[in-house]
Amino acid sequence: MFSPEQAIDRLTLGAAPEAFQRMQATGVGPWVEQQLDPGAEPATLAQRLSELPSFGLDPASAFDRYGPKPGMRQDPSARMAYRKGLHGLYLDAASARMLRGVHSPWQLRELMTDFWFNHFNVFFHKGLCALWTGDYEQTALRPHLFGRFEDLLLATARHPAMLFYLDNWRNAVPTSRGGHDHAGFNENYGREVMELHTIGLHYSQADVIGATRLLTGWGLNRRRAFHFASRRHDFSLQTIRGKRFAGGEGAIIDFLRFLARHPDTARHISFEMAQYFVADVPPPDLVTHMAARYNDTEGDLKAVTLAMIEHPAFARSAAQRNKFRTPYRYTLALLRATGCELDNIKPLIGTLHRLGQPLYGCVPPNGWANTQAEWLSPDALTHRLNLAVTIGAGWMKLFADQPHGHALPLVPVLEALQHTTLHSVLASARSAPPAMQTAVLLGSPQMQYC
Amino acid sequence: MDRRTLLKLGANVLGMSLLPLGGAAWGARLEQAGPRLVVVFLRGAVDGLNVVVPYADDLYYEYRPTIAVAKPGSANGLIDLDGHFGLHPALAALQPLWKTGQLAFIHACGSPDPDRSHFEAQAYMETAMPGIPSTTSGWMNRLATAMQLHQAADVVAFGATTPLIVRGPAPVATFPTGRAATHPEAMDRGRVQEAFDRIYLNDSRLGGTYREALQTRSTLLRALDADMSASAQGAPDSSGFPADAVRAARMMTADPKLRLVFFQLGGWDTHVSEGAGTGQLANHLKPLGDGLAAFTAALGPQWRNTVVMVVSEFGRTARENGNRGTDHGHGNAHWVLGGAIGGGHIYGDWRGLSESELHQNRDLPVTTDFRSVIALIAQRHLNVDSAALRAVLADYAPGTASLDRLFA
């Protein structure tokens, strides 16, 4: 298939000490098979997650506990408590994501979470999305990463975070009454569910209008749980992309399934996945191969992923180490290479912000780009090197098992990175001042790529 | 570490060849500073009909029962521009520029491509090649080549990423926004940089970017120094667009070679609860207007040879939608500011808001191609000759008669 270090590069968030030996012992083929059928987190990690106060809270409970309270506008202390609650929700979601990214053995699941969150992006700081973003990742995305695309699509379509983010909870037939004062059409979700989530740019404005009308009433109830309100729905017949849909909730589900199974979706998803995992300009034959697999399996994401990994283009590209890491992937790769136990993620929130990729912080619905053209700039490189020094020299209080202010031990980092770092860099690191040796390894040119 | 020390450190590290000349020499070079262009991209499609409002047209109030901005003279009402159009009250800081002819708008302007996808339309506006999705270079990058700008520090995009509009063969720099931009960094320490010099300077993939990083950091350190001496005069030391815009002005004053600047601001996709004289849109317009006003002031005499263009991928629907917001539209108001432009005028071919004039009975039409504005600025302001301009705008033939007085 390909070598252990290539598997670590392309199918994990970065090399950790001893990862190479473990991969070699398991064998790349069996390891990939295990990763495509991931299991539970190890007990220590599961314990850390369960200690996060809002972890696993369902949307309605989150709304009750952390949502806006009546009379809050006039009460500064209530407003302060509300903001504090939202900040706690953010820390919990970001901690869960990063703890798993650094410590979970199910690394492909963590990469896929990054990939699919980005594909079905929601912005944490848009109003009530803050209450639900953690749950969105946990319940709408993670269970479906290796399942069928249509299940993933439907789970996002029904989740309060997406309904709020792309405004479909407000999309209603204008004559309808009930719930909201300003009922009317809203095209936001109807457009993006086609353009960004499924078929790509292959739609017309008439399709947007049809989809918008069909999607009316697909929203939230008073407790802010998913709810289809037939009295807010436009039951008239809609024609979208040449297919006719009668009204009703069943027709909406039919429409989403129709989009999920469309060949344009197969190509769109395959291209994006290949761009994320293989190359900024993915080889066309690889995309065609993946799309064919998608069509043959009605969008079985495990099959599509495997088709990508087993295609010769995957190994060819991995050998070149030509994927420039996004700020998120670079930061996680740094943390993993240290082999230290991540304890405090707070400093990393600002770090990701400065690097231009704040976690859950992408405002527009197309998510972050993952190409070198987008992320490599002189200023970005300066930031990355500063971060390598800040972490390597121990200036950032991140780890439970390391004294703050002391350079991190060199040996584990060497151990993690030796297979992908040039000899000349290893030599430079050894000749650097002791406090800088780990930092030089972490900030090497090879660390910028995978 | 204070900024003075930081600057010295930077100077030590970077060596004399990259050091700025002395203050007096800057002064001499300022005289030679060539014409500048600043582009501000409002991502998400700003609602131009609520920015430059045809308040004399009753249809405007008919189309927008809850989000129309009130007529001039009312509470939170418009600022009258010419008896027909009014400016959103959150942009009050720009009123003096309008009155002195340093601010103009081109209404019903935009891209001829009719699609209403944010991402496609932004790409077309950044490449200036509407309908050709395979274009990989941005028009500001091609413009840099046409202006013979060959140093990364000559073209600066603010923000953490490299937006398409500046991508391409010509080198460009990005600068951080916000408060963190002024913080000392690990790389400013000599020993840290030496260690990375050894592994980066000759790296085949990243060596060039690394060298540009050193060079642009030195430019930033210079700007920080200018910023520091100006802060005694009350320059803002905070985050947000006004602070970033003032920082850009300081950099432009400190470095005459810096000729092209790009900013991007988000949050304009007002599908829900857009607001009228106050509210969501107003909250986004206020820092934009205040920042542009502060920018012009901070540039001082340099404002005379600077032009600012404010653009957005498309406009929004003429009628409000069912959620007190607006959906994706077509034509929009583009802004041009400059110390020496023919402003105080609404340019373009305005055809009113009647159903028959609206694009698909829904949006403002595009009656002025945004590329005519670029062409005009490139030729009349940046002195790009027509042969070089063809490489910037490729197959586009400029036809700018209706905008003639913008650069008399």
Side-chain angles (χ1 to χ4, degrees):
Chain A
M1 212 174 207
F2 37 83
S3 69
E5 62 265 33
Q6 288 166 355
I8 292 171
D9 260 349
R10 290 298 172 92
L11 300 174
T12 79
L13 278 158
E18 290 167 35
F20 183 82
Q21 286 86 331
R22 279 202 300 273
M23 179 76 73
Q24 219 169 20
T26 313
V28 172
W31 181 85
V32 167
E33 260 177 59
Q34 292 169 11
Q35 293 289 316
L36 288 169
D37 193 12
E41 310 290 7
T44 44
L45 177 56
Q47 174 70 26
R48 296 282 311 272
L49 297 177
S50 70
E51 285 164 3
L52 300 167
S54 66
F55 186 77
L57 201 62
D58 68 90
S61 307
F63 184 74
D64 290 343
R65 193 184 299 176
Y66 295 99
K69 301 290 181 287
M72 198 173 75
R73 267 174 207 277
Q74 287 75 43
D75 182 353
S77 65
R79 277 205 309 275
M80 179 82 87
Y82 174 65
R83 279 199 297 270
K84 228 175 133 184
L86 299 192
H87 185 62
L89 287 164
Y90 182 82
L91 279 181
D92 290 349
S95 298
R97 170 73 84 82
M98 296 186 106
L99 285 171
R100 283 164 151 161
V102 175
H103 294 300
S104 172
W106 305 111
Q107 282 286 300
L108 187 56
R109 178 160 69 193
E110 295 311 308
L111 277 179
M112 283 295 183
T113 302
D114 180 41
F115 172 74
W116 286 110
F117 192 96
N118 214 38
H119 180 83
F120 290 110
N121 182 54
V122 301
F123 175 50
F124 185 95
H125 304 285
K126 176 171 175 173
L128 300 182
C129 284
L131 301 173
W132 303 318
T133 300
D135 182 77
Y136 174 73
E137 176 179 316
Q138 180 68 17
T139 66
L141 302 183
R142 285 181 176 269
H144 304 294
L145 302 175
F146 301 104
R148 292 214 307 172
F149 177 78
E150 63 185 55
D151 296 330
L152 182 59
L153 176 67
L154 276 160
T156 61
R158 288 194 177 104
H159 199 280
M162 183 61 80
L163 286 161
F164 192 88
Y165 175 57
L166 288 179
D167 303 322
N168 208 68
W169 72 295
R170 307 286 304 261
N171 182 23
V173 72
T175 51
S176 67
R177 296 221 185 111
H180 308 283
D181 296 328
H182 312 295
F185 294 124
N186 190 305
E187 295 178 357
N188 205 1
Y189 184 67
R191 175 186 307 277
E192 305 304 6
V193 74
M194 293 191 287
E195 176 176 336
L196 298 177
H197 297 171
T198 59
I199 58 177
L201 280 163
H202 311 280
Y203 65 83
S204 67
Q205 181 61 30
D207 294 330
V208 173
I209 291 169
T212 299
R213 286 176 168 266
L214 180 61
L215 285 161
T216 45
W218 181 267
L220 299 167
N221 66 14
R222 277 180 195 286
R223 289 198 70 212
R224 305 294 191 264
F226 170 72
H227 173 67
F228 175 73
S230 53
R231 62 188 170 164
R232 289 160 59 80
H233 182 69
D234 181 344
F235 280 90
S236 60
L237 183 80
Q238 306 300 336
T239 304
I240 311 166
R241 274 297 303 258
K243 192 171 159 65
R244 289 144 68 91
F245 296 94
E249 185 178 11
I252 297 177
I253 294 167
D254 287 347
F255 168 60
L256 293 171
R257 290 220 166 97
F258 164 74
L259 291 177
R261 293 175 190 181
H262 202 284
D264 287 344
T265 302
R267 281 205 74 78
H268 183 199
I269 299 298
S270 300
F271 178 91
E272 281 192 352
M273 200 183 274
Q275 188 179 57
Y276 182 93
F277 283 95
V278 180
D280 290 1
V281 182
D285 59 327
L286 171 65
V287 176
T288 306
H289 175 70
M290 291 167 67
R293 198 83 188 100
Y294 184 107
N295 290 327
D296 289 347
T297 59
E298 288 194 333
D300 179 338
L301 296 176
K302 188 191 291 190
V304 175
T305 307
L306 195 60
M308 172 180 74
I309 293 173
E310 288 178 342
H311 193 277
F314 187 87
R316 267 203 307 275
S317 150
Q320 295 168 4
R321 297 195 83 246
N322 60 359
K323 270 306 284 184
F324 189 71
R325 284 180 164 136
T326 62
Y328 176 74
R329 289 179 70 171
Y330 175 66
T331 305
L332 270 285
L334 292 182
L335 298 170
R336 282 179 60 76
T338 67
C340 298
E341 192 194 329
L342 182 61
D343 179 52
N344 174 31
I345 68 136
K346 281 184 193 167
L348 300 169
I349 293 169
T351 293
L352 286 169
H353 211 280
R354 271 195 295 285
L355 290 170
Q357 199 179 21
L359 195 46
Y360 308 121
C362 183
V363 183
N366 56 337
W368 306 112
N370 63 58
T371 56
Q372 172 166 318
E374 180 83 9
W375 292 111
L376 176 59
S377 72
D379 183 56
L381 187 57
T382 309
H383 278 309
R384 284 171 181 242
L385 301 187
N386 286 327
L387 178 64
V389 174
T390 311
I391 291 180
W395 297 346
M396 210 180 247
K397 197 168 164 27
L398 299 170
F399 306 114
D401 47 359
Q402 290 300 321
H404 182 220
H406 291 77
L408 299 185
L410 180 66
V411 173
V413 180
L414 256 179
E415 221 282 315
L417 302 179
Q418 57 183 327
H419 301 284
T420 50
T421 306
L422 293 183
H423 287 297
S424 57
V425 171
L426 297 174
S428 294
R430 286 205 192 86
S431 65
M436 279 296 298
Q437 294 185 345
T438 307
V440 165
L441 277 187
L442 290 177
S444 81
Q446 291 81 51
M447 269 301 270
Q448 313 303 330
Y449 290 90
C450 63
Chain B
M1 194 171 0
D2 65 21
R3 285 175 184 167
R4 204 47 95 174
T5 324
L6 178 69
L7 191 73
K8 281 194 195 128
L9 264 176
N12 282 337
V13 165
L14 294 163
M16 289 310 289
S17 61
L18 292 174
L19 268 183
L21 304 170
W26 284 7
R29 285 172 63 184
L30 278 188
E31 306 294 321
Q32 300 156 22
R36 271 91 173 258
L37 173 63
V38 178
V39 176
V40 182
F41 203 118
L42 309 183
R43 292 194 191 274
V46 66
D47 182 16
L49 268 180
N50 261 17
V51 175
V52 182
V53 178
Y55 72 83
D57 191 333
D58 289 341
L59 282 172
Y60 168 75
Y61 292 96
E62 196 178 297
Y63 289 163
R64 300 184 162 209
T66 73
I67 62 163
V69 188
K71 294 195 176 192
S74 329
N76 296 316
L78 293 160
I79 299 161
D80 180 46
L81 292 176
D82 63 0
H84 187 84
F85 289 97
L87 186 64
H88 194 286
L91 296 173
L94 298 180
Q95 192 180 14
L97 292 172
W98 174 264
K99 284 192 169 158
T100 50
Q102 300 175 75
L103 166 64
F105 297 98
I106 301 127
H107 225 320
C109 184
S111 165
D113 190 90
D115 286 322
R116 295 186 184 87
S117 152
H118 286 300
F119 315 106
E120 192 181 36
Q122 286 177 20
Y124 287 157
M125 201 155 275
E126 292 180 76
T127 59
M129 302 281 273
I132 309 174
S134 56
T135 316
T136 53
S137 68
W139 66 262
M140 287 187 78
N141 191 287
R142 299 196 300 272
L143 182 61
T145 303
M147 291 167 69
Q148 301 183 329
L149 307 178
H150 302 304
Q151 301 282 326
D154 300 348
V155 186
V156 166
F158 278 82
T161 57
T162 310
L164 180 56
I165 196 168
V166 296
R167 274 186 225 160
V172 298
T174 55
F175 272 122
T177 54
R179 216 181 297 243
T182 56
H183 291 177
E185 299 276 13
M187 279 291 282
D188 297 327
R189 302 190 183 193
R191 268 156 48 118
V192 172
Q193 200 208 308
E194 275 166 33
F196 283 117
D197 278 353
R198 277 200 289 278
I199 58 176
Y200 269 95
L201 282 174
N202 296 315
D203 186 80
S204 59
R205 284 194 287 202
L206 296 173
T209 310
Y210 182 80
R211 279 189 289 273
E212 282 167 16
L214 297 184
Q215 193 195 340
T216 50
R217 184 73 186 161
S218 88
T219 309
L220 179 62
L221 291 173
R222 248 190 289 169
L224 289 182
D225 194 40
D227 204 21
M228 183 180 59
S229 38
S231 63
Q233 301 151 30
D237 179 25
S238 58
S239 50
F241 179 70
D244 289 330
V246 168
R247 195 165 295 122
R250 304 256 183 266
M251 287 171 61
M252 291 166 73
T253 341
D255 185 356
K257 290 175 64 211
L258 173 47
R259 303 277 300 281
L260 296 175
V261 173
F262 179 73
F263 276 104
Q264 50 188 344
L265 301 173
W268 307 97
D269 197 14
T270 46
H271 286 279
V272 170
S273 305
E274 177 172 324
T278 60
Q280 195 190 154
L281 178 64
N283 294 341
H284 281 94
L285 287 173
K286 177 91 165 68
L288 175 58
D290 290 358
L292 289 172
F295 175 78
T296 62
L299 266 185
Q302 292 284 300
W303 175 236
R304 288 292 301 171
N305 64 1
T306 305
V307 163
V308 179
M309 229 179 132
V310 182
V311 301
S312 193
E313 65 264 33
F314 42 67
R316 308 190 71 84
T317 46
R319 300 177 186 86
E320 69 178 71
N321 67 12
N323 305 144
R324 297 188 163 188
T326 44
D327 290 321
H328 300 184
H330 194 40
N332 206 346
H334 285 218
W335 322 9
V336 179
L337 300 84
I341 65 163
H345 184 76
I346 313 269
Y347 290 89
D349 176 9
W350 178 259
R351 297 173 187 175
L353 293 172
S354 67
E355 292 192 349
S356 59
E357 294 298 344
L358 291 181
H359 172 67
Q360 297 174 355
N361 185 18
R362 163 186 167 112
D363 315 321
L364 279 188
V366 169
T367 56
T368 302
D369 189 316
F370 76 105
R371 290 171 296 179
S372 349
V373 187
I374 299 174
L376 191 72
I377 291 173
Q379 287 187 307
R380 304 267 187 89
H381 171 62
L382 300 171
N383 305 320
V384 172
D385 66 41
S386 48
L389 184 64
R390 270 197 294 278
V392 179
L393 294 176
D395 59 343
Y396 177 72
T400 54
S402 66
L403 305 176
D404 224 33
R405 286 191 297 122
L406 191 51
F407 293 92

